[in-house]
Amino acid sequence: NAGVTQTPKFRILKIGQSMTLQCTQDMNHNYMYWYRQDPGMGLKLIYYSVGAGITDKGEVPNGYNVSRSTTEDFPLRLELAAPSQTSVYFCASSHGGAGYGYTFGSGTRLTVV
Amino acid sequence: GQQLNQSPQSMFIQEGEDVSMNCTSSSIFNTWLWYKQEPGEGPVLLIALYKAGELTSNGRLTAQFGITRKDSFLNISASIPSDVGIYFCAGLITQGGSEKLVFGKGTKLTVNP
């Protein structure tokens, strides 16, 4: 059971560079989420999707973009990396929405220098 | 916006001791979830609570959904070294027809053998 798979695990970006954080799940979950976790700050929702072709902004969407062309994949795009985007990023999925609990990936640690 | 106040921020205990942590808010939540995060991993769901007053156990863990729906607590009995990690509470609210999960900032637990 792979669950939620995130790649890469670690990445260092220079200011202004772009990258895509990959997330894929094999549980046929409709709901998928992207969170960022900063030390001592808990988890903040960036974007979420309730199904293929549908995405919506969370609490902290600025500087990010997402797409959901398939049920399995939910990539997160950083177009112009900034130091403020240094964080640990978690992708999660749920079969029935937030109230059923999420399955989280193991995270991507991103450093922007 | 809705905020969860999770306390304590950190705990240092001896193996075998009981642990108690809680989350409070000025907002009413429909569901409370408790997660544990180990170093380098994503959070894992421990317990979900769906009704005010509900008391649910999962092994040595017990959690309760407060009567006012504004708080929840998590107890760990007879702690062991593998209980080490960060414990997060999360509350579910419904806004404008969409569900939103709000996370606390976490309680970092250290267990000394």
Side-chain angles (χ1 to χ4, degrees), chain B residues 75-108:
Chain B
N75 285 345
I76 305 172
S77 62
S79 59
I80 58 179
S82 62
D83 290 334
V84 164
I86 302 176
Y87 292 80
F88 291 98
C89 63
L92 181 73
I93 57 169
T94 303
Q95 275 183 332
S98 65
E99 293 184 327
K100 177 182 171 183
L101 205 57
V102 180
F103 282 85
K105 294 183 179 181
T107 294
K108 185 174 183 179

Side-chain angles (χ1 to χ4, degrees), chain A residues 35-45 59 104, chain B residues 2-9 21-25 29 31-37 43 72 86-92 100-108:
Chain A
Y35 282 86
R36 60 176 288 170
Q37 184 179 36
D38 300 309
M41 296 302 293
L43 291 151
K44 300 289 187 185
L45 181 64
E59 269 183 279
F104 281 89
Chain B
Q2 289 76 16
Q3 285 191 330
L4 292 182
N5 301 308
Q6 188 171 350
S7 65
Q9 279 188 321
M21 60 191 78
N22 67 82
C23 272
T24 61
S25 176
F29 290 91
T31 296
W32 284 95
L33 305 170
W34 285 91
Y35 287 86
K36 179 188 177 187
Q37 184 180 26
S72 177
I86 302 176
Y87 292 80
F88 291 98
C89 63
L92 181 73
K100 177 182 171 183
L101 205 57
V102 180
F103 282 85
K105 294 183 179 181
T107 294
K108 185 174 183 179

Side-chain angles (χ1 to χ4, degrees), chain B residues 25-83:
Chain B
S25 176
S26 57
S27 302
I28 290 175
F29 290 91
N30 300 323
T31 296
W32 284 95
L33 305 170
W34 285 91
Y35 287 86
K36 179 188 177 187
Q37 184 180 26
E38 297 186 6
E41 298 296 328
V44 174
L45 183 65
L46 298 173
I47 292 178
L49 302 158
Y50 298 106
K51 287 172 55 176
E54 181 180 353
L55 184 71
T56 297
S57 293
N58 178 5
R60 293 178 296 105
L61 278 61
T62 301
Q64 184 157 30
F65 192 146
I67 292 289
T68 64
R69 294 167 62 194
K70 294 181 179 181
D71 60 350
S72 177
F73 72 75
L74 175 71
N75 285 345
I76 305 172
S77 62
S79 59
I80 58 179
S82 62
D83 290 334

Side-chain angles (χ1 to χ4, degrees), chain A residues 20-54:
Chain A
T20 299
L21 282 67
Q22 301 291 347
C23 175
T24 187
Q25 52 93 6
D26 63 357
M27 298 171 285
N28 202 33
H29 286 172
N30 283 324
Y31 298 79
M32 295 188 75
Y33 310 84
W34 273 106
Y35 282 86
R36 60 176 288 170
Q37 184 179 36
D38 300 309
M41 296 302 293
L43 291 151
K44 300 289 187 185
L45 181 64
I46 305 171
Y47 270 96
Y48 67 99
S49 168
V50 300
I54 306 168

